[in-house]
Amino acid sequence: MFRRKRIVRHIRYLIEEFMDNCGGTFVLVIVALVITGIVMKDTLSIEYNTYNQVTTYAGFDFPSKRDFPFHRGCLDVDEYLNDPEYTKMNASFVILTRNEEFEGVKRTMTSLEQHFNQWYNYPYVFLNDVEFTQEYKDKIMDLTNSTVEFGTIDELNWEFPEDVRNSFEFKQYIQDQNDRSVMYGGLESYHKMCRFYSGLFYKHPLVQKREWYWRIEPDVEFFCDLTYDPFYEMQRHNKKYGFTIVIPELYWTVPNLFRYTRSYINSNNLIVGSLWKLFTRSYKILDDEFVEEHSNEGLNDWINFEEEIDDKFSEMISVDHLIEFDPDDNDGIEYLVRKSKSKLPIVEDKFNDEEYNMCHFWSNFEIARVDVFDNDIYNGYFQYLEESGGFWKERWGDAPVHSLGLGMTLNLHDVHYFRDIGYRHSNLHHCPRNYEGDGNKYKGQLPYKHKEERFSRKVNSPDWQYDRSNEFGSGCRCRCPNKIDVEDSSYQCFEKWIGMIYFDKDEYNFELDGEWTGKVNGEKRFKQVKKDFLKYKQQEDSWANLGLKLGEAET
Ligand SMILES: Nc1nc2c(ncn2[C@@H]2O[C@H](COP(=O)(O)OP(=O)(O)OP(=O)(O)O)[C@@H](O)[C@H]2O)c(=O)[nH]1
Ligand SMILES: *[C@@H]1O[C@H](CO)[C@@H](O)[C@H](O)[C@H]1NC(C)=O
Ligand SMILES: *[C@@H]1O[C@H](CO)[C@@H](O)[C@H](O)[C@H]1NC(C)=O
Ligand SMILES: [Mg+2]
């Protein structure tokens, strides 16, 4: 895993070498080890996660041309706001919530106001399936100086269609998900929420009247100050969708989502964007040209894993040999019989040689353009999914639906990872390392200046003590919980993101654009298997000849 592991391995190797060659100087080695440890720990700032693993993603920087933090460390907000280039954006926060959820919302808003919105004053849009009470509205408006707009979701957008909702089947499916302990699967309201966020929130007039939105939820927490305007920077850098956490979905909430997704793509002949590859794995093993040349063999159906190649090639070669050269060849006959009896292998979740890898941007945080969803392709996709019934037959979350939908229309460079935004929702969190700039006396961490009195921080109080910084960090005045970062706990999805964003294609070994292509050179591999086969046949012949000769000698 990247440089750090390699360096550590290298050091261990050097020490082992040294030990082998001069075992007598054992004590010296120990001293050297300790010194190396201290020096390395400082210069590389090696960090240990809670499992005492040396290697973490969270402790590393991933510089990349495709996507990078808009700013590292803190900016002077007044300067930023007064820059003549700067314009306030057509944007709002969007939150779906209930009257009963005030406390959680208060925690979210207080954190957001303190860390960002006290300086930028973006408006809030509150949505609910029933009317907000006057008392609730008053209490919310007390939490901010920004405009707050309250909207109600009409029945069509909130409830499942009437014929569905009144059917026996509907109740049955929801009950069944409850019995099988699908997470939140037994809660009808959760299904409605997921459906609403999947395809309908962006149709609400209060969301439609702006170009950008930042989705928030009750009971989330922000750990760093955000001293620049993320909407403005997104626009400036041509970004369309921003996230903070990418994780794998629970399989049993979406068993059939990908089947319908693929089918929508096929029936509309869509060409997916390069973001698509972040969410899929490919079962195309052999290069397309070879597969095309042998199109009568249907190789992509027979070969799903690299270890299956040689066996399939042996079969092809043996059968050819049988037909062309030696009708009595036993191997050929055996393979031919096997071939005629064998059934295509089934990889359950494979569609068009692809499978959903379960990764998705965690959608309780999103900073995005409204039109990443409000466009013909995504609207059609939602309609198609709606007709399939998956929002109630299964418990499709809005997060995987968003991600797969975005994968159809966006390219990788349209997406921004807000690595510098520290964020917690439920028990997952991401919190960046603080940035240690070299030029200024504050080392990237300017002193905090409150705009609102209630957010003042007392110098020398714990409020003023931020986490230590390092030269690779990106955060501004972060104070992180001492827990494992989601970058390290959900590494399989984060690794994929980093792999695609950070590495050049020749290193990572796939093309960013277009459809997946197989990587194994079929022609070369085929030749090798054929060579082995012929050698084996030759040997067989010479043994046979020898047997014949021995037989002759005996008579
Ligand atoms: N008005 C309204 N809001 C809802 C309803 N169900 C969910 N929400 C809101 O939708 C958002 C997501 O719902 P949550 O229950 O928090 O779902 P979650 O974030 O996936 O689950 P947790 O991990 O439990 O937080 C929250 O802001 C809820 O307040 C509902 O029936 N009515
Ligand atoms: C709103 O602005 C006023 C005037 O600047 C300020 O006194 C007040 O603390 C601010 N905050 C809230 C939540 O009202
Ligand atoms: C904001 O965006 C919406 C939606 O794109 C647009 O209709 C509206 O005119 C914009 N408002 C301003 C002030 O630019
Ligand atoms: Mg929640």
Side-chain angles (χ1 to χ4, degrees):
M1 208 194 305
F2 309 133
R3 256 180 312 166
R4 177 165 303 169
K5 200 167 189 179
R6 245 180 273 151
I7 290 165
V8 171
R9 206 183 300 137
H10 189 67
I11 294 169
R12 193 182 307 149
Y13 171 78
L14 286 178
I15 291 168
E16 278 167 9
E17 280 279 279
F18 191 65
M19 289 281 276
D20 280 355
N21 295 336
C22 15
T25 48
F26 184 71
V27 178
L28 246 176
V29 171
I30 295 293
V31 173
L33 229 170
V34 171
I35 292 171
T36 319
I38 292 165
V39 171
M40 294 306 282
K41 200 173 158 91
D42 253 28
T43 53
L44 295 169
S45 59
I46 287 179
E47 290 170 16
Y48 295 84
N49 63 23
T50 39
Y51 301 124
N52 237 352
Q53 293 160 328
V54 177
T55 49
T56 74
Y57 287 104
F60 255 98
D61 191 27
F62 300 98
S64 157
K65 285 189 289 278
R66 295 191 186 98
D67 187 51
F68 45 84
F70 295 140
H71 294 283
R72 287 175 189 272
C74 312
L75 304 186
D76 183 312
V77 178
D78 293 328
E79 249 172 56
Y80 187 90
L81 285 169
N82 289 326
D83 187 329
E85 300 262 291
Y86 173 73
T87 45
K88 183 146 188 205
M89 303 293 287
N90 190 358
S92 72
F93 300 104
V94 173
I95 181 167
L96 169 74
T97 188
R98 305 179 181 93
N99 281 305
E100 309 83 71
E101 279 175 321
F102 177 73
E103 287 305 321
V105 174
K106 183 178 171 186
R107 278 192 287 275
T108 295
M109 278 179 72
T110 309
S111 183
L112 190 55
E113 288 286 313
Q114 180 194 165
H115 290 293
F116 168 69
N117 209 41
Q118 61 166 319
W119 302 301
Y120 288 90
N121 280 118
Y122 277 103
Y124 289 82
V125 168
F126 273 70
L127 302 177
N128 193 349
D129 56 310
V130 299
E131 291 255 355
F132 285 108
T133 62
Q134 193 56 46
E135 185 202 348
Y136 185 87
K137 292 188 199 172
D138 292 342
K139 286 199 297 189
I140 292 293
M141 286 187 291
D142 279 348
L143 298 174
T144 178
N145 267 337
S146 304
T147 321
V148 187
E149 297 166 347
F150 295 91
T152 313
I153 303 158
D154 62 37
E155 185 182 306
L156 271 180
N157 284 334
W158 183 253
E159 297 288 342
F160 283 100
E162 200 155 357
D163 52 331
V164 169
R165 143 167 62 115
N166 294 329
S167 68
F168 172 72
E169 220 190 351
F170 178 70
K171 305 261 170 341
Q172 191 64 21
Y173 269 106
I174 305 254
Q175 181 58 42
D176 177 65
Q177 291 169 57
N178 186 59
D179 296 346
R180 288 185 294 127
S181 304
V182 175
M183 197 174 174
Y184 302 130
L187 292 176
E188 196 182 316
S189 70
Y190 199 90
H191 288 261
K192 289 189 246 183
M193 182 273 286
C194 291
R195 171 181 171 274
F196 174 73
Y197 264 131
S198 292
L200 298 158
F201 81 97
Y202 58 84
K203 295 286 190 194
H204 196 283
L206 293 179
V207 182
Q208 284 271 314
K209 76 184 224 195
R210 303 203 170 82
E211 208 179 341
W212 296 84
Y213 72 94
W214 176 340
R215 175 168 157 189
I216 55 172
E217 272 202 15
D219 240 323
V220 304
E221 215 177 330
F222 296 91
F223 300 120
C224 314
D225 289 333
L226 185 58
T227 49
Y228 61 84
D229 180 340
F231 301 112
Y232 175 70
E233 298 295 337
M234 293 270 287
Q235 165 124 320
R236 214 162 68 87
H237 289 87
N238 273 320
K239 297 286 184 178
K240 297 183 173 138
Y241 183 90
F243 72 97
T244 52
I245 287 176
V246 58
I247 50 166
E249 182 56 291
L250 302 167
Y251 178 85
W252 287 109
T253 63
V254 287
N256 281 296
L257 174 60
F258 194 65
R259 174 197 305 274
Y260 287 105
T261 302
R262 229 11 281 191
S263 147
Y264 174 71
I265 292 172
N266 294 350
S267 52
N268 291 285
N269 294 317
L270 297 181
I271 308 219
V272 297
S274 63
L275 181 62
W276 182 252
K277 291 198 176 84
L278 180 63
F279 307 120
T280 51
R281 70 164 280 187
S282 169
Y283 283 100
K284 280 186 186 169
I285 306 293
L286 296 162
D287 69 276
D288 296 352
E289 204 172 80
F290 186 81
V291 171
E292 186 57 36
E293 256 170 51
H294 297 266
S295 53
N296 56 331
E297 299 276 355
L299 290 178
N300 277 340
D301 295 330
W302 288 101
I303 298 170
N304 293 300
F305 302 95
E306 187 166 351
E307 55 273 24
E308 293 171 345
I309 297 175
D310 288 2
D311 190 44
K312 184 66 192 169
F313 283 2
S314 300
E315 179 192 285
M316 287 159 70
I317 291 161
S318 299
V319 172
D320 275 355
H321 183 79
L322 173 80
I323 293 166
E324 275 183 47
F325 301 109
D326 183 0
D328 298 324
D329 181 64
N330 275 335
D331 296 304
I333 292 169
E334 254 174 55
Y335 269 118
L336 192 62
V337 171
R338 190 186 80 153
K339 187 175 173 176
S340 68
K341 281 185 176 171
S342 56
K343 297 192 193 83
L344 274 180
I346 292 176
V347 178
E348 203 178 338
D349 295 309
K350 180 178 99 160
F351 301 98
N352 297 86
D353 299 315
E354 282 178 359
E355 183 176 299
Y356 178 36
N357 64 16
M358 298 291 140
C359 294
H360 59 275
F361 301 134
W362 219 23
S363 57
N364 48 72
F365 173 106
E366 290 180 327
I367 298 181
R369 294 182 59 88
V370 174
D371 62 12
V372 291
F373 298 119
D374 199 14
N375 59 66
D376 291 346
I377 292 178
Y378 188 88
N379 282 323
Y381 176 50
F382 174 71
Q383 216 43 54
Y384 193 85
L385 295 184
E386 170 98 317
E387 278 152 29
S388 77
F391 290 110
W392 50 277
K393 289 183 181 167
E394 298 181 3
R395 207 231 68 210
W396 294 350
D398 50 289
V401 172
H402 280 188
S403 289
L404 288 168
L406 293 169
M408 293 176 202
T409 54
L410 297 190
N411 290 316
L412 266 181
H413 61 251
D414 295 325
V415 174
H416 179 63
Y417 174 31
F418 279 102
R419 203 176 187 210
D420 52 335
I421 294 188
Y423 177 72
R424 179 195 63 76
H425 172 269
S426 65
N427 60 349
L428 293 184
H429 79 269
H430 162 64
C431 199
R433 301 299 187 269
N434 278 323
Y435 175 60
E436 178 182 273
D438 35 23
N440 69 54
K441 74 173 185 186
Y442 299 111
K443 299 196 153 191
Q445 302 292 304
L446 296 178
Y448 171 79
K449 276 194 277 183
H450 64 266
K451 171 112 179 282
E452 293 183 18
E453 196 49 41
R454 61 182 171 142
F455 296 130
S456 64
R457 294 176 193 166
K458 253 171 89 186
V459 181
N460 293 331
S461 79
D463 286 358
W464 194 267
Q465 276 146 25
Y466 310 112
D467 294 348
R468 76 186 171 91
S469 44
N470 75 38
E471 62 192 293
F472 301 131
S474 56
C476 165
R477 301 188 287 258
C478 302
R479 296 203 297 143
C480 295
N482 190 18
K483 281 194 248 154
I484 190 164
D485 195 287
V486 68
E487 285 186 359
D488 292 326
S489 63
S490 132
Y491 64 89
Q492 66 271 47
C493 294
F494 185 68
E495 179 177 73
K496 187 109 199 252
W497 166 258
I498 287 298
M500 292 180 73
I501 280 293
Y502 176 63
F503 289 110
D504 288 334
K505 68 173 184 185
D506 52 333
E507 242 184 293
Y508 200 63
N509 204 27
F510 67 65
E511 311 273 345
L512 278 182
D513 290 317
E515 297 286 329
W516 283 103
T517 46
K519 285 299 162 198
V520 174
N521 182 328
E523 199 57 48
K524 201 168 144 199
R525 189 80 166 248
F526 193 82
K527 274 190 183 139
Q528 184 59 45
V529 175
K530 188 157 185 174
K531 206 170 119 195
D532 292 347
F533 174 82
L534 290 176
K535 209 160 115 193
Y536 161 75
K537 279 291 154 207
Q538 229 171 29
Q539 254 170 15
E540 212 179 35
D541 280 353
S542 59
W543 281 110
N545 282 339
L546 188 64
L548 215 61
K549 277 191 193 134
L550 286 174
E552 274 167 12
E554 263 169 30
T555 50

